[in-house]
Amino acid sequence: MGYVGVPLAVEFAKAGLDVLGIDVSAEKVATLNAGRSYILDVSDETIAGLVALGTLRATTDFSVLADADAVCICVPTPLRKSQDPDISFIVNAVDAIRAHLHRGMLIVLESTTYPGTTEELVLPKLEETGLKVGVDFFLAFSPERVDPGNRQFITRNTPKVIGGVTQACTEKAIALYRHAVDRLVPVSNARTAEMVKLLENTFRAVNIGLVNELALMCNRLGVDVWEVIDSAKTKPFGFMPFYPGPGLGGHCIPIDPLYLSWKLKTLDYTARFIELASTINSSMPQYVVEKITEALNGVRKSVNGSKILVLGVAYKRNVSDTRESPAIDIIGLLRRKGADVSYADPHVPELDLPSGSLVSYDVEQGFGAFDMVVIVTDHKAFNYKRLLREASLVFDTRNAVTGLQVPASCTVVKL
Ligand code: SAJ
C-alpha cells in the first residue's frame, strides 16, 4: 500500500470491487482504515469515502487472501549495497500468497523487476502447492506506471501493459484491470511485459546520461548546453529534450536499468549503454563539486571553510522524496573538503546523512550569509529573484534562474 498500491486499490474500489489493501505496516493500515491518506495524489476524502462505502479496507493479515479472487503485488524492488537486485520484498509477498493460494486465484506482479522474475521465480513458488498455472490459478506481470505528483496521468488514464504466463492468465488479468484502467495493452507473455517497463526507464537513464555528457562537452567547448538543448528541441520531429543535472535520483531511473544489466550479465552479455549511462550519471555530483571549487577559487576562496547553501535536496522538483538524491552525494563531498554546508528544502524538513543529519535552513533569513548557494533541485517554491538579489555567488545546476535579471552583485555559474 505505497505510491502504487493505494491509487490502484482506490480505482478498483471506485469501480465497486471489494478491495482489501494488505501491508506489513500497521501504521499505514490504521491510517487508511481511519479514512486518511499518506499518498500525495490521493486525498483523505477519497479514502474516507471508500472506507465508509465498505469497498476499501486495509489489513496486515495475509490470511484474508484465502477469500481473494485476485491479488496485485506492489512492493519495492531496490538494489542491495552490492548494486544487485533486492527481490526479497517480492519473495516475501509471494511466500505469503502461496500459503493461501486457491483455485481460480489471479496473481499479478506490478513491481519493476528483471525479465524472467515472474516465470522463473514467482511461478515455481506458486506451483509448489501442486496447483497448475493457467488452469488452477493465473499469473501475470503488469508494470506500474505511477508518476507521483503527475496531475495529468493517473492510474485510470495511463495505459497498462499486461503479460500473462499463459493466454488464459492474460485474459484473467484483463478482466481485472478493465475495472480500473481505460486502456489495456496485452503482450505475449510476462517476460515481455517486464522488458517493456525496463525499456521505458532505461530510455530515460540513457538519454539523461547523454545530455549529462553533452554538458561536460559544452563546458569544454565554451557553449551553453541549455541553449543547445532548447534550440535542438525546436526540431518538430525525431527529437525529445532531456536536461543535464547534478545527477540521477529517485527510486526508479537510477535503479531499474541495473536490474536489466544484472540479468543480462547472468546471460553473459554486457549492457553497455546502461553501464555507460550509469557511470556518467553517477559522476555528476563529483563534477558539480569540481565546478563549485572552481567558482570559489575564482573569488579567491577555498571550499574549505566556505559557507555553502544547497538549495533543494529532493531527487526532483516539487517532491519530498530524497531517495538516491544527488544532493546527498554533493553535501557529503563538500563536507569532506571542509565546507560548512547547509541545505534548504521546503519539502524536506530534515535530512539524515552519513556525515551527520541536518535540518532545513529557513530561507526567510536570507541568502547573504553564504559564500555560495548551489541550486540542486529547482523547486517551484523558491524565490529565485530574492536569491539573485542577496547571494554573491550562485551555482545553478538546473537552469532555474535563466531569464531572470542578475544584479552586478551576483555571479551565476551554470552547469
Ligand atoms: N532528470 C534529469 N534530466 C532529465 C530528466 C530527469 O537529470 O531530463 C533527473 C531528475 O532530476 C531525477 C531523475 O533524473 O533526479 C529521475 O527523474 P524522472 O523525471 O525520470 O522522474 P522519476 O524518477 O519520478 O521517474 C518516474 C518514472 N515513472 C515510473 O517509473 C512509473 C518514469 O518512468 C517517468 O517517465 C517519470 O517519472 C516522469 O516522466 O515523470
Side-chain angles (χ1 to χ4, degrees):
M1 295 307 276
Y3 79 90
V4 175
V6 170
L8 182 62
V10 163
E11 285 306 330
F12 282 136
K14 277 180 181 170
L17 300 191
D18 175 8
V19 182
L20 261 170
I22 303 176
D23 202 286
V24 294
S25 160
E27 188 190 350
K28 284 193 168 82
V29 163
T31 303
L32 291 171
N33 287 334
R36 288 198 315 279
S37 171
Y38 44 82
I39 296 294
L40 176 68
D41 303 321
V42 178
S43 69
D44 290 348
E45 292 70 32
T46 301
I47 299 290
L50 293 168
V51 168
L53 211 57
T55 56
L56 177 63
R57 201 158 50 85
T59 179
T60 57
D61 175 8
F62 281 82
S63 67
V64 299
L65 287 169
D67 304 322
D69 297 309
V71 55
C72 301
I73 305 172
C74 308
V75 295
T77 46
L79 287 177
R80 297 185 191 290
K81 285 272 169 278
S82 56
Q83 298 295 293
D84 290 345
D86 174 3
I87 52 169
S88 61
F89 296 92
I90 294 181
V91 171
N92 294 341
V94 172
D95 288 347
I97 292 166
R98 179 182 54 196
H100 305 288
L101 189 66
H102 53 80
R103 278 186 169 62
M105 199 171 184
L106 167 66
I107 300 93
V108 184
L109 177 58
E110 291 219 352
S111 306
T112 306
T113 183
Y114 60 82
T117 304
T118 305
E119 293 158 6
E120 298 162 7
L121 176 106
V122 179
L123 177 57
K125 277 182 170 291
L126 296 178
E127 289 200 320
E128 278 170 11
T129 59
L131 295 178
K132 187 92 189 78
V133 72
V135 178
D136 301 319
F137 70 91
F138 304 91
L139 177 60
F141 183 83
S142 179
E144 59 91 358
R145 281 178 167 173
V146 176
D147 182 22
N150 192 324
R151 294 269 181 272
Q152 187 188 358
F153 295 110
I154 57 174
T155 296
R156 174 157 291 281
N157 69 355
T158 303
K160 199 102 173 51
V161 168
I162 298 175
V165 170
T166 70
Q167 186 52 34
C169 299
T170 302
E171 285 156 17
K172 290 283 181 184
I174 287 170
L176 171 69
Y177 281 103
R178 65 179 168 74
H179 292 283
V181 183
D182 294 341
R183 186 175 160 216
L184 303 179
V185 183
V187 294
S188 313
N189 51 47
R191 127 189 344 246
T192 301
E194 289 160 339
M195 191 61 171
V196 167
K197 172 68 182 183
L198 291 174
L199 168 60
E200 290 166 14
N201 284 0
T202 299
F203 164 76
R204 291 185 72 75
V206 169
N207 278 287
I208 293 164
L210 170 65
V211 290
N212 278 333
E213 183 165 53
L214 205 81
L216 303 179
M217 296 183 209
C218 287
N219 190 259
R220 280 161 179 71
L221 290 166
V223 168
D224 180 334
V225 67
W226 304 94
E227 182 184 7
V228 168
I229 295 168
D230 280 345
S231 309
K233 82 178 181 191
T234 60
K235 181 181 177 188
F237 51 85
F239 182 78
M240 177 179 179
F242 285 85
Y243 298 95
L248 199 54
H251 53 284
C252 300
I253 308 305
I255 290 169
D256 299 348
L258 298 182
Y259 266 68
L260 181 56
S261 56
W262 174 84
K263 176 65 180 176
L264 270 297
K265 271 195 203 110
T266 70
L267 303 172
D268 293 330
Y269 184 83
T270 302
R272 285 161 291 175
F273 274 104
I274 293 173
E275 303 207 347
L276 175 60
S278 182
T279 302
I280 292 171
N281 289 328
S282 47
S283 75
M284 292 312 284
Q286 179 62 44
Y287 174 69
V288 164
V289 171
E290 283 164 16
K291 293 276 287 184
I292 290 169
T293 307
E294 207 177 283
L296 285 169
N297 192 48
V299 290
R300 306 178 73 78
K301 289 182 181 174
S302 67
V303 176
N304 193 334
S306 284
K307 282 172 66 63
I308 299 176
L309 176 66
V310 170
L311 216 46
V313 293
Y315 81 84
K316 72 174 182 180
R317 74 167 68 105
N318 308 332
V319 302
S320 59
D321 193 341
T322 58
R323 279 177 287 184
E324 308 285 324
S325 175
I328 294 171
D329 301 318
I330 291 166
I331 292 171
L333 290 166
L334 288 172
R335 278 175 147 179
R336 273 209 288 283
K337 286 178 175 287
D340 174 3
V341 189
S342 308
Y343 86 88
D345 189 318
H347 305 282
V348 184
E350 61 183 61
L351 192 61
D352 280 337
L353 295 158
S355 49
S357 62
L358 284 172
V359 292
S360 179
Y361 168 78
D362 175 7
V363 292
E364 284 314 305
Q365 297 176 54
F367 299 98
F370 297 99
D371 296 301
M372 184 173 209
V373 179
V374 186
I375 301 171
V376 173
T377 308
D378 49 335
H379 291 309
K380 194 162 172 290
F382 289 133
N383 181 339
Y384 293 103
K385 284 195 179 121
R386 178 174 179 185
L387 167 66
L388 295 175
R389 267 200 321 274
E390 297 180 359
S392 56
L393 187 55
V394 173
F395 180 24
D396 180 6
T397 72
R398 297 287 191 173
N399 207 33
V401 299
T402 186
L404 295 183
Q405 190 69 31
V406 181
S409 56
C410 179
T411 302
V412 175
V413 177
K414 295 173 78 170
L415 192 69

